[in-house]
């Protein structure tokens, strides 16, 4: 295990921010809805580049306050921020010398990445930058814009060496320490160029992580599919990118938000399978985070204030064999502590059963309370079955997820399912 992944392994929960020119149409173009993937509106509706570029002349996010973003992310319990420095539309949200197509040439005129980098440095937050390396709908040689440019004349290398490499260098030399470059949609980019891009990152900042979507498993960890959680737990680091509603960029119409209970459930599932959750908000054209997103994240943040020990620095128990009818589990291997996440609170006799744990439990309480809980742990020899009953208070302490902390005598060991004698 490489050391530079340490912060990422412990962080578990990050804030994704999708913000760019697409926040202005917010999923509607000339009265026509393009509700899915509002950040894809240019491609979805084949908007001519010249027309889409007009948005830059309007972009003036006067409400954008980088310190507010970073402080909110902290309050919400998030340990890193991933910001879209350049999405597929090709527009740079920072001061780039490589292209005129940037935030500098808007009425706003100020470098957003610079402001976020300053605020993150002052507030001790890890800043990571999203960069769309293959798709670029502004560059004639970038991938994706088939309505403005003739594919036959395309020379991907011209785009790669003319825009991608120098822009990634700018991002990694002008803004201090960057935690990770978050690449996306490598499609069929040639492996040699992916390797070169990884080398560019490493040369500029050897400690900087590269996510899995650089392609060909050249990243430092695996990225799950968008909004997907694997069934099985993974031993290597991985991350699940998820958005709060259906779209990543701001939407005027998409109010299909996940409620706080669902977000917490997803976070616990991801963490219990060894991953990180990077959860997205899409600020509007003025730089304001949607109110509903703020409400949800702040509920989750309140839960984390009490229950953070069950998330940060935890994973699952390797090869734990059972699904749990009452919830999920997470586990801290350094402190030998198990966390039982009770989502479906039991009725009388108010107990939950954990089958399959071999290690002895020595102290049990609910997070946020020091009161010890009664337990009963046994081993049934003929069935070769370990059982741990935990007796909970009659009244459910937390409707969303009551976390039971179980201190173990040693490293957690799980039983295997199956009776064959070895
Ligand atoms: O940045 C976010 C997405 O824009 C990006 N990845 C996350 C993190 C992404 N790029 N490609 N894809 C996701 C997959 C493509 C999905 C599509 Fe669609 C289906 C493109 C067109 C149809 C989703 C639905 C986007 C527009 C409509």
């Amino acid at each position: 295990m490489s050391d530079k992944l340490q912060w990422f392994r412990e962080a578990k929960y990050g804030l994704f921010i999708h913000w760019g020119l697409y926040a202005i149409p917010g999923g509607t173009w000339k009265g026509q809805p393009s509700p899915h993937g509002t950040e894809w509106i240019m491609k979805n509706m084949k908007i001519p580049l010249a027309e889409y570029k007009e948005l830059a002349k309007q972009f003036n996010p006067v409400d954008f306050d980088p310190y507010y973003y970073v402080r909110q992310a902290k309050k919400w319990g998030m340990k890193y921020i991933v910001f879209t420095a350049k999405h597929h539309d090709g527009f740079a949200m920072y001061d780039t010398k490589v292209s005129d197509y940037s935030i500098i040439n808007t009425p706003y005129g100020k470098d957003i990445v610079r402001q976020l980098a300053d605020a993150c440095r002052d507030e001790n937050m890890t800043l990571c930058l999203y960069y769309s390396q293959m798709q670029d709908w502004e560059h004639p040689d970038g991938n994706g814009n088939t309505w403005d440019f003739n594919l036959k004349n395309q020379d991907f290398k011209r785009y790669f060496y003319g825009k991608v490499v120098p822009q990634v260098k700018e991002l990694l030399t002008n803004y201090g320490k960057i935690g990770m470059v978050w690449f996306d949609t490598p499609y069929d980019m040639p492996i040699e160029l992916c390797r070169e891009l990884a080398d560019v990152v490493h040369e500029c900042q050897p400690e900087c992580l590269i996510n899995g979507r650089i392609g060909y498993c050249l990243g430092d960890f695996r990225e799950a599919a968008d909004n997907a959680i694997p069934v099985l737990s993974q031993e290597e680091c991985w991350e699940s990118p998820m958005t709060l509603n259906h779209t990543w960029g701001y939407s005027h119409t998409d109010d299909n938000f996940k409620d706080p209970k669902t977000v917490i459930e997803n976070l616990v599932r991801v963490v219990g399978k060894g991953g990180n959750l990077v959860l997205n908000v899409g600020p509007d054209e003025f730089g304001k985070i949607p109110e509903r997103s703020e409400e949800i994240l702040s509920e989750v943040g309140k839960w984390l204030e009490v229950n953070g020990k069950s998330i940060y620095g935890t994973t699952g128990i390797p090869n734990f064999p059972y699904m749990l009818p009452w919830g999920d589990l997470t586990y801290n291997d350094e402190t030998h502590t198990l966390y039982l996440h009770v989502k479906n609170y039991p009725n009388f006799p108010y107990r939950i059963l954990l089958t399959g744990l071999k290690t002895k439990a020595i102290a049990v309480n609910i997070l946020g309370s020091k009161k010890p809980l009664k337990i009963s742990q046994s081993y049934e020899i003929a069935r070769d079955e370990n059982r741990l009953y935990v007796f909970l208070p009659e009244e459910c302490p937390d409707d969303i997820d009551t976390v039971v902390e179980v201190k173990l005598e040693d490293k957690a060991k799980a039983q295997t399912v199956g009776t064959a004698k070895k």
Side-chain angles (χ1 to χ4, degrees):
M1 274 193 262
S2 135
D3 222 6
K4 66 181 186 179
L5 275 160
Q6 192 59 25
W7 73 265
F8 184 75
R9 198 176 288 117
E10 279 164 20
K12 294 293 147 194
Y13 186 37
L15 176 67
F16 215 151
I17 304 172
H18 272 70
W19 197 34
L21 294 180
Y22 41 80
I24 302 173
T28 306
W29 192 259
K30 295 183 177 166
Q32 292 297 309
S34 171
H36 300 295
T38 58
E39 71 287 356
W40 273 69
I41 195 164
M42 181 179 174
K43 175 145 177 146
N44 285 352
M45 307 196 85
K46 298 195 169 33
I47 300 170
L49 179 59
E51 244 179 80
Y52 189 84
K53 273 189 163 177
E54 290 292 307
L55 293 172
K57 295 187 182 153
Q58 292 173 48
F59 199 60
N60 195 11
V62 286
D63 292 337
F64 174 66
D65 175 355
Y67 284 88
Y68 179 77
Y69 274 57
V70 177
R71 287 178 191 145
Q72 287 299 86
K74 274 171 103 170
K75 230 170 74 185
W76 296 334
M78 288 149 150
K79 304 294 186 190
Y80 58 107
I81 293 179
V82 184
F83 177 72
T84 48
K86 188 200 88 169
H87 204 265
H88 308 330
D89 65 2
F91 182 79
M93 293 289 276
Y94 69 100
D95 184 4
T96 174
K97 302 286 174 267
V98 178
S99 159
D100 293 336
Y101 199 40
S102 85
I103 189 75
I104 296 306
N105 297 311
T106 63
Y108 184 69
K110 284 180 278 182
D111 185 330
I112 302 279
V113 173
R114 163 86 52 231
Q115 297 178 66
L116 272 176
D118 289 348
C120 283
R121 189 199 52 230
D122 291 350
E123 294 285 326
N124 211 3
M125 170 67 78
T126 300
L127 178 65
C128 308
L129 297 173
Y130 177 108
Y131 188 90
S132 172
Q133 77 275 35
M134 171 111 187
Q135 294 197 72
D136 189 307
W137 307 328
E138 183 254 351
H139 198 286
D141 299 301
N143 177 284
N145 186 342
T146 49
W147 57 100
D148 280 294
F149 306 117
N150 186 344
L151 284 178
K152 280 195 206 117
N153 307 327
Q154 277 193 328
D155 176 358
F156 185 75
K157 284 191 175 171
R158 210 155 45 191
Y159 157 69
F160 182 75
Y161 293 111
K163 189 166 182 181
V164 178
V165 170
Q167 284 201 330
V168 168
K169 279 186 180 163
E170 285 178 330
L171 289 169
L172 292 174
T173 42
N174 296 343
Y175 299 95
K177 197 170 177 323
I178 300 299
M180 177 204 319
V181 186
W182 215 101
F183 293 111
D184 204 3
T185 63
Y187 294 158
D188 56 354
M189 191 159 145
I191 190 168
E192 315 81 66
L193 297 186
C194 296
R195 282 208 186 97
E196 263 190 61
L197 189 54
D199 289 345
V200 168
V201 175
H202 292 143
E203 276 156 26
C204 294
Q205 292 200 27
E207 292 297 302
C208 181
L209 299 181
I210 297 174
N211 79 330
R213 294 207 192 147
I214 188 158
Y216 305 99
C217 297
L218 293 170
D220 292 296
F221 60 88
R222 181 157 183 110
E223 200 68 57
D226 288 350
N227 295 301
I229 301 178
V231 173
L232 301 176
S233 77
Q234 315 289 316
E235 278 197 30
E236 302 288 326
C237 270
W238 63 276
E239 182 183 54
S240 178
M242 198 171 281
T243 187
L244 271 175
N245 46 355
H246 273 171
T247 183
W248 299 84
Y250 177 76
S251 168
H252 291 295
T253 55
D254 177 5
D255 57 3
N256 206 332
F257 285 93
K258 298 169 182 70
D259 61 21
K261 186 169 173 118
T262 307
V263 172
I264 290 168
E265 192 173 82
N266 287 337
L267 177 62
V268 170
R269 272 193 194 141
V270 165
V271 169
K273 287 165 183 180
N276 284 18
L277 181 70
V278 60
L279 191 60
N280 178 71
V281 297
D284 69 14
E285 63 178 296
F286 306 107
K288 206 174 156 323
I289 299 169
E291 230 162 83
R292 185 70 193 121
S293 302
E294 292 229 20
E295 280 167 15
I296 298 161
L297 295 178
S298 116
E299 279 294 303
V300 178
K302 277 186 208 143
W303 180 87
L304 279 165
E305 263 173 40
V306 179
N307 297 297
K309 267 167 90 182
S310 71
I311 298 293
Y312 308 116
T314 69
T315 58
I317 299 179
N319 304 316
F320 191 78
Y322 291 113
M323 289 177 65
L324 305 166
W326 39 261
D328 271 303
L329 59 82
T330 55
Y331 169 61
N332 189 321
D333 194 43
E334 265 176 36
T335 59
H336 302 166
T337 309
L338 187 60
Y339 298 95
L340 309 179
H341 295 262
V342 185
K343 289 185 293 188
N344 307 317
Y345 205 76
N347 293 325
F348 182 80
Y350 311 109
R351 63 176 193 190
I352 52 167
L353 167 63
L354 179 71
T355 315
L357 173 74
K358 282 176 150 178
T359 323
K360 189 169 177 236
I362 48 178
V364 181
N365 60 279
I366 288 171
L367 278 184
S369 145
K370 291 209 166 70
K371 213 172 141 207
L373 295 180
K374 219 182 118 211
I375 56 168
S376 150
Q377 193 168 21
S378 61
Y379 174 62
E380 199 181 306
I381 190 163
R383 288 218 286 205
D384 180 30
E385 196 169 287
N386 288 93
R387 291 186 201 152
L388 173 66
Y389 283 102
V390 178
F391 296 87
L392 300 171
E394 257 182 67
E395 198 153 324
C396 171
D398 189 329
D399 289 332
I400 287 187
D401 177 351
T402 297
V403 184
V404 178
E405 182 176 49
V406 184
K407 291 243 156 60
L408 302 175
E409 191 182 54
D410 203 347
K411 272 186 188 303
K413 266 206 196 143
Q415 286 194 302
T416 49
V417 180
T419 51
K421 212 167 163 109
K422 296 220 175 83

